[in-house]
Amino acid sequence: MIVAEQKDIAEIIPMTEGYQNILVIGCDTCVTVCLAGGAKEVAILACSLRLAARARGKKVQVDEISIERQCEKEFVDSLQSTVRGHDLLISMGCGIGVQTIAEQFPNLAVVPALNTKLLGLPERQGVWVERCQACGQCILDKTGGICPISRCSKSLLNGPCGGSQNGKCEINKEIDCGWHLIYERLKSLGRLGCLEEIMPAKDWSRSRNGGPRKVIREDMCL
Amino acid sequence: MVGLGFQQALEQNQFVITVELAPPKGTDVSRMLACAERLKGRVHGINVTDNQSAVMRLGSLAACHLLKERGFDPIYQITCRDRNRLALESDLLSAAVLGIRNVLVLTGDHPTAGDHPEAKAVYDLDSTQLLQVITRLNQGRDLSSRSSGGKPLVNGATLAGGTNLFAGAVVNPEANPLEPQIWRFFQKVAAGARFFQTQAVYDLERFDQFMGYARELGAKILAGVLLVRSAAAARYVNEHVPGVVVPERVVKELEPSANPLEAGIRMAGQQIRHLRERCDGVHIMAIGLEEHIPAVLDEAGI
């Protein structure tokens, strides 16, 4: 899932400056699960903005709505009638949600209320951890199902660096050394042989470094 | 008196001494060069660090050039942290034309450890891959995958003149656990590392075990020796320098001393004596105390 967290309200309030009719839009998918931008968070943010406006003696209308998925045009399109009369849309979706809304409503200002953080999973209640960087060239078959691109702080391909100590990363003793995890897992699977070959330099052009990416399934195109 | 250059001395099985110098944070190279002058005739090679601990400083390549001009044999440290493959290959060609032949390849401490923690970390290549790149440059080819005309290349482009670099790498015999380090070590030898400079060695029993593997591979090993000025400095290193652990017994030995620097020099000298029978040389890391390296060598009887 995509994990996000809400921006500080002090960063959001200035974004609303000069607008009178605000619509706060939540998303019922990933950001609801990670407790950042679902209907509940929308209600809290809308309330905070109303209070902030009142405190500054301003008359601002703040409305709320949450849709199933902000990252799909069909769902965003369902907002056509709701957005009418608003001059600012605050998206509580991930960065994709904000942009889908911006694309669907080219004449309306859209601002983000969240910082999109990572592709990962809830590790335990209230804690989400990164697991994928969408590098475009999955090598989990070679690394025991543990991703060195997202779990090694340096995205190294050929084992731990000299900073790995007692299974922890040099940048923070709270972080597991990704390569330590990979090594231990392959060892317990009796598959250390996977590591015999030196992995070649990665083709980063398949990642973000190749420019904005696109997936095309010609067989599915209409 | 040391007569031979670094590679020659290693190949002739001399006990090789290298030291580490950090370029200044700025353009005033006087202290660095003065430290080097005091080491003239006493060391085989001088390592020049590459933005060590991810702290921005004068470039290693320029500092190596200044040392080379003054008759020293520099060991150019190059990390994967700050440059992508284009820049790394280009800098290695630059080193070659400046007559800098010894290169020590490192992953590089993460930017978050240093003074520009907001920087974008590069790590386009890892240290093993960078060693492979050097092997390839030495064969007169680069890592490119297509020609300037867009034609796919399987084995890189042919260079108008290759390099003749003597590449080395780093290994930490005190890493815990040791096993993944040994695997990395084998890998680096396969990728073309011809010498290794280790992180600080304290546990001789463990080091002997490590040397067993090294002898099997025929890799030349220079054991790391750390000079620290005090117990507090040792603790600082433990806290802030990735991969270096000064054991508590050493810290405790420095603690009560009235002159901890002197004690540190004595301990480093002693350590060199112990290592002399065990490996191919030592690599002295004095982190800011470079002017005391001659005293360490005196203490070691070198």
Side-chain angles (χ1 to χ4, degrees), chain B residues 133-141 162-167 194:
Chain B
V133 164
I134 294 175
T135 301
R136 213 191 259 220
L137 295 176
N138 282 345
Q139 293 162 350
R141 309 187 75 82
T163 60
N164 184 18
L165 299 167
F166 184 53
R194 293 161 70 188

Side-chain angles (χ1 to χ4, degrees), chain A residues 153-167 170-171 173 179-180 183-184 187 192 195-204 209, chain B residues 85 107-110 112-113 120 123-126 128-129 132 143 172 174-177 179-181 183-184 187 190-191 199 238-239 242-243 245:
Chain A
S153 298
K154 302 175 183 177
S155 296
L156 303 179
L157 284 173
N158 287 292
C161 71
S164 170
Q165 198 64 261
N166 303 318
E170 72 177 29
I171 79 165
K173 289 187 177 72
W179 271 103
H180 178 82
Y183 192 88
E184 290 302 317
K187 195 171 148 186
L192 277 176
L195 301 176
E196 254 161 41
E197 264 182 46
I198 297 173
M199 267 202 251
K202 190 173 173 65
D203 178 359
W204 288 108
N209 302 75
Chain B
R85 61 194 81 179
T107 307
D109 299 329
H110 197 273
T112 54
K120 187 170 183 177
Y123 303 111
D124 179 26
L125 301 179
D126 61 36
T128 305
Q129 293 160 346
Q132 288 181 317
L143 196 62
N172 185 3
E174 307 231 323
N176 189 21
E179 219 178 308
Q181 269 292 311
W183 154 52
R184 285 279 276 155
Q187 199 188 61
Q199 285 291 15
N238 285 346
E239 209 44 48
V245 182

Side-chain angles (χ1 to χ4, degrees), chain A residues 74 215-222:
Chain A
E74 290 76 3
V215 174
I216 304 172
R217 278 278 304 269
E218 270 170 15
D219 56 331
M220 298 304 287
C221 293
L222 293 174

Side-chain angles (χ1 to χ4, degrees), chain B residues 233-255:
Chain B
R235 290 209 175 93
Y236 180 87
V237 166
N238 285 346
E239 209 44 48
H240 299 282
V241 183
V244 188
V245 182
V246 184
E248 201 46 40
R249 68 172 168 81
V250 176
V251 181
K252 285 226 166 82
E253 207 174 320
L254 288 168
E255 194 112 76

Side-chain angles (χ1 to χ4, degrees), chain A residues 63-81:
Chain A
D63 298 319
E64 315 162 17
I65 192 167
S66 194
I67 60 172
E68 187 148 351
R69 273 201 288 284
Q70 288 194 14
C71 60
E72 285 193 49
K73 290 185 176 175
E74 290 76 3
F75 292 107
V76 175
D77 238 6
S78 70
L79 290 172
Q80 287 292 358
S81 56

Side-chain angles (χ1 to χ4, degrees), chain B residues 55-86:
Chain B
V55 171
M56 193 287 293
R57 287 167 176 271
L58 173 76
S60 174
L61 187 51
C64 282
H65 174 62
L66 296 178
L67 291 173
K68 182 88 191 168
E69 272 187 333
R70 286 160 179 79
F72 297 97
D73 197 7
I75 300 163
Y76 169 35
Q77 293 197 181
I78 185 165
T79 72
C80 302
R81 178 192 53 236
D82 307 322
R83 279 153 292 181
N84 67 8
R85 61 194 81 179
L86 276 90

